[in-house]
Amino acid sequence: MGFDDICNTGLVLGLGFSSTTDQKSSKIAPLGKGPPSLGFEPSLTLSLSGDHTYDQQATKKVNVTKPLNDHQSADLYRQDSAASSYSNASVKRERDVGSEETTEVERVSSRVSDEDDDGSNSRKKLRLTKAQSALLEESFKIHSTLNPKQKQDLARELNLRPRQVEVWFQNRRARTKLKQTEVDCEFLKKCCETLTDENRRLHKELQELKALKITQPLYMQLPAATLTMCPSCERIGGVAENPSKNPFTIAQKPHFYSQFTNPSAAC
DNA sequence: TTTGTCAATCAGCCCT
DNA sequence: AGGGCTGATTGACAAA
C-alpha cells in the first residue's frame, strides 16, 4: 500500500528538475500550485496529480436562470418583501429549537437598497437563505468566476444585487483556496515525516553496512536485506547482471526503493 | 482609464 | 465571552 493510498490526496511526489513557467496569479489558479520557481533547479516536488480546480469538477448542471421551485421562490420573494437587511429591522431568525426547518422567512433579506432606512451607517449583515446559498454553490461548481451577464442573471435569480453575488464569489474563491492550502500543508507535513523516517532508516542501514565491511570479508558483506527483489521487474537488487563474473558485486547504482517511487520506472 | 480579481481586513451574527 | 463563519470594504495590480 503506497502512501497515496493512505492519504488518498491525488498528490504526486516527484524528484527532478523543475522548469519555470511564470504562473499567472490572476484567474483562479489551480489550487495547490506554489509560487513560480527560478528556472531549472533540482527539486523535490509535490504536486496535484490532476488539475484540481474546484470549479471544473461539477458534474451536475444547474440552470442559473431556471425558475426556482415554489419553496425557493417563496423564500426569496418573501425576503424581498421583508424589511431591508440594511435597515434596523430586527435580525430575527426564528430558531425552532429541535427543528431543522429554520424559518427562512424570518431571515434577513438581501435588499437592493444601499442605505439604511434611518440613514445610519451601521453595517447590518446579510445572511443568505439556504436556497440562495445552494444556488450560489451550484453556480460556483460550474464556474468559479462569473461574466457580467452571468452575474446579472444570478443576481436577478437570487434577488440580490450583482455586487453581492460578486462578493460572494470572491469570498468563496478566497476561502476555497485557503482551505486547499491547509490541506496541502497537512499533506506536506505527512510527507516530510515519512521522508524523515525513510532517511533515518537509510542512515541506519548505511551504518550497518559500514560495520559489516569492517568486520567481514567481501563475499559475506551483503546482508540479506539488500537482496530485495523488485516486485515489478523481479530483479534482485544488489546483484550484478552477470553473476558468473562476480556473483557478489554490489550494484553500481543502488536501487532506491520507496513507496514514493514507481518500481517499474526505477527499473 | 476602466474593469475585474485578489489579498487583507473589518465587522456582524451565531454557536458553544 | 470567544471563536468561527461569512458578508462587505479597501487598495493594489494586471489586462484590455
Side-chain angles (χ1 to χ4, degrees):
Chain A
M1 188 167 73
F3 188 77
D4 201 41
D5 291 329
I6 301 168
C7 297
N8 196 25
T9 60
L11 288 166
V12 171
L13 175 68
L15 178 62
F17 289 95
S18 62
S19 67
T20 304
T21 53
D22 199 10
Q23 191 114 18
K24 291 211 23 160
S25 60
S26 61
K27 301 295 169 197
I28 186 158
L31 300 173
K33 291 195 178 174
S37 57
L38 303 170
F40 284 93
E41 287 176 353
S43 62
L44 179 63
T45 60
L46 275 167
S47 60
L48 295 165
S49 60
D51 198 1
H52 284 206
T53 33
Y54 279 57
D55 47 319
Q56 304 301 330
Q57 291 181 342
T59 53
K60 193 169 124 194
K61 288 227 165 193
V62 168
N63 185 351
V64 173
T65 58
K66 85 172 168 25
L68 296 173
N69 63 34
D70 290 342
H71 177 70
Q72 290 170 318
S73 303
D75 267 352
L76 296 178
Y77 290 117
R78 268 176 297 191
Q79 275 194 3
D80 192 34
S81 63
S84 162
S85 64
Y86 297 98
S87 74
N88 282 336
S90 57
V91 184
K92 253 193 277 175
R93 209 177 154 198
E94 186 172 319
R95 285 199 240 155
D96 202 352
V97 182
S99 165
E100 272 284 289
E101 212 152 301
T102 303
T103 315
E104 303 278 351
V105 184
E106 300 287 347
R107 278 188 148 187
V108 173
S109 160
S110 60
R111 188 48 183 216
V112 186
S113 71
D114 283 324
E115 284 286 327
D116 288 347
D117 288 342
D118 62 357
S120 70
N121 273 336
S122 64
R123 212 151 72 168
K124 290 294 174 186
K125 182 129 181 168
L126 156 74
R127 301 292 298 186
L128 297 173
T129 65
K130 283 179 184 172
Q132 284 172 318
S133 294
L135 196 51
L136 285 163
E137 286 289 346
E138 289 302 320
S139 189
F140 184 81
K141 282 182 191 170
I142 297 167
H143 25 59
S144 64
T145 54
L146 297 174
N147 63 36
K149 174 146 192 343
Q150 289 170 326
K151 196 195 301 177
Q152 280 288 347
D153 289 346
L154 196 52
R156 200 177 310 118
E157 186 85 13
L158 294 165
N159 196 36
L160 296 171
R161 284 169 299 182
R163 173 65 182 155
Q164 290 176 303
V165 173
E166 182 182 311
V167 165
W168 188 92
F169 270 73
Q170 253 174 36
N171 286 322
R172 187 69 173 75
R173 281 193 295 268
R175 281 149 191 166
T176 298
K177 191 175 177 182
L178 179 64
K179 201 172 175 181
Q180 183 61 38
T181 302
E182 285 169 3
V183 168
D184 288 352
C185 185
E186 276 306 304
F187 177 76
L188 288 170
K189 272 189 202 166
K190 284 200 177 88
C191 285
C192 184
E193 285 169 17
T194 306
L195 287 170
T196 303
D197 288 347
E198 176 76 357
N199 191 31
R200 201 173 293 129
R201 189 187 68 74
L202 289 170
H203 269 296
K204 195 178 166 191
E205 195 173 315
L206 183 63
Q207 293 302 319
E208 287 170 4
L209 285 170
K210 281 180 180 171
L212 276 172
K213 190 175 180 182
I214 292 168
T215 59
Q216 294 182 359
L218 180 65
Y219 65 87
M220 292 184 68
Q221 284 176 13
L222 281 177
T226 62
L227 295 174
T228 52
M229 181 180 286
C230 171
S232 176
C233 62
E234 297 188 350
R235 282 195 313 196
I236 295 174
V239 177
E241 287 292 323
N242 186 353
S244 63
K245 281 189 180 174
N246 184 354
F248 297 109
T249 304
I250 296 174
Q252 284 189 334
K253 192 172 182 181
H255 200 133
F256 179 62
Y257 203 28
S258 110
Q259 63 260 49
F260 291 114
T261 57
N262 181 345
S264 298
C267 294

